[in-house]
Amino acid sequence: MNFSRVFAATVLAVSFAFAQPDAPVVEQAGMQAPQKTSINSKMGFGIHGQFEIVSLYGLAQDWNLGDDEEAPAGIGFTGGFRGRIPMMPVVHFAPELNFHYAQLTQKDEAAERSFTQMDLEVPLMLRAILKDLFYVTAGAQLGFNLYSKATVDFGSDDNGGYLNPIDIEYEEDIDKASFGFGLVLGCGFVFFDRISVDARFVLGLTETYPDGKSDYVSMDGGKQKSFQFGVGFWIM
């Protein structure tokens, strides 16, 4: 027996075997590899925060004792908890519980007004998901006012130069409605399965300051709208 030829053939066969790509064990056993389960297929909850640009709309043209005055506008933020309840493979019920803070201002030649708001908001939305990467949301939002304050600042008065200048600022009797209702539309992208960024538009359908009593402005008919941009994280 020519051992050199047998040895050479054995080495060649072993080298060829190691050169072949390894087949998955499950395929070799005649089984299919288990598919990855998306987080979107399960119930869960998370946290999120959003920056917003907010303003009033629907005020009368002469709401501030003049024609075509700018409506109060400002910035705010929203933060809280969100849920995920699958209803169909690509549709979720997505409720939220949020704390909302905003401050709107309006300035003219006579004075500067400031409207501070703190609310508990409950958006109740449906979320449609495309390939676990992109989603759109739509629904209703309930709002419960926690605190509001409206102030007007007429600037400084030097009293003819005889006294030190004093700042003329006082609180107006303009309270935010205890309950509000609006519509929510939004969209977003999902990164790394748990992190998402989104944008939404909230359109208030109820008056924001229905009982405002002021000698200078009329808040009748004023509703609130906002554009929000934020990020969220699914805890589970």
Side-chain angles (χ1 to χ4, degrees), residues 9-63:
T10 303
V11 171
L12 182 62
V14 172
S15 300
F16 181 79
F18 278 97
Q20 300 303 309
D22 295 335
V25 175
V26 290
E27 291 184 1
Q28 292 176 356
M31 300 170 59
Q32 292 184 350
Q35 297 182 351
K36 179 183 177 182
T37 302
S38 168
I39 191 175
N40 288 318
S41 64
K42 302 177 293 184
M43 291 181 60
F45 73 95
I47 56 176
H48 71 118
Q50 292 162 313
F51 168 82
E52 74 169 352
I53 301 172
V54 58
S55 63
L56 294 182
Y57 76 97
L59 292 171
Q61 189 177 26
D62 59 348
W63 72 275

Side-chain angles (χ1 to χ4, degrees), residues 80-212:
F81 301 94
R82 61 181 184 176
R84 182 184 67 247
I85 304 174
M87 300 176 63
M88 291 185 288
V90 295
V91 178
H92 296 166
F93 176 53
E96 296 178 358
L97 180 63
N98 301 324
F99 171 78
H100 170 253
Y101 172 88
Q103 186 170 61
L104 291 73
T105 60
Q106 184 272 337
K107 187 175 182 179
D108 54 40
E109 295 180 357
E112 179 176 4
R113 290 176 174 81
S114 177
F115 301 86
T116 302
Q117 308 171 354
M118 295 184 188
D119 306 281
L120 183 67
E121 295 181 340
V122 186
L124 303 172
M125 301 176 293
L126 292 178
R127 174 180 294 181
I129 304 171
L130 178 63
K131 295 187 178 297
D132 291 325
L133 294 176
F134 175 77
Y135 61 86
V136 293
T137 57
Q141 177 169 288
L142 311 178
F144 304 91
N145 181 245
L146 302 175
Y147 170 82
S148 69
K149 182 179 180 181
T151 60
V152 57
D153 187 351
F154 288 100
S156 298
D157 186 358
D158 61 4
N159 288 285
Y162 295 102
L163 299 173
N164 293 329
I166 57 175
D167 215 22
I168 304 176
E169 178 179 336
Y170 66 91
E171 184 174 347
E172 291 195 288
D173 187 14
I174 300 177
D175 293 323
K176 193 171 186 288
S178 59
F179 173 78
F181 177 81
L183 300 178
V184 184
L185 296 173
C187 61
F189 290 92
V190 179
F191 299 94
F192 309 114
D193 206 28
R194 292 182 181 271
I195 301 174
S196 63
V197 295
D198 60 36
R200 67 178 62 172
F201 174 63
V202 182
L203 181 67
L205 300 180
T206 55
E207 287 192 41
T208 306
Y209 296 100
D211 300 320

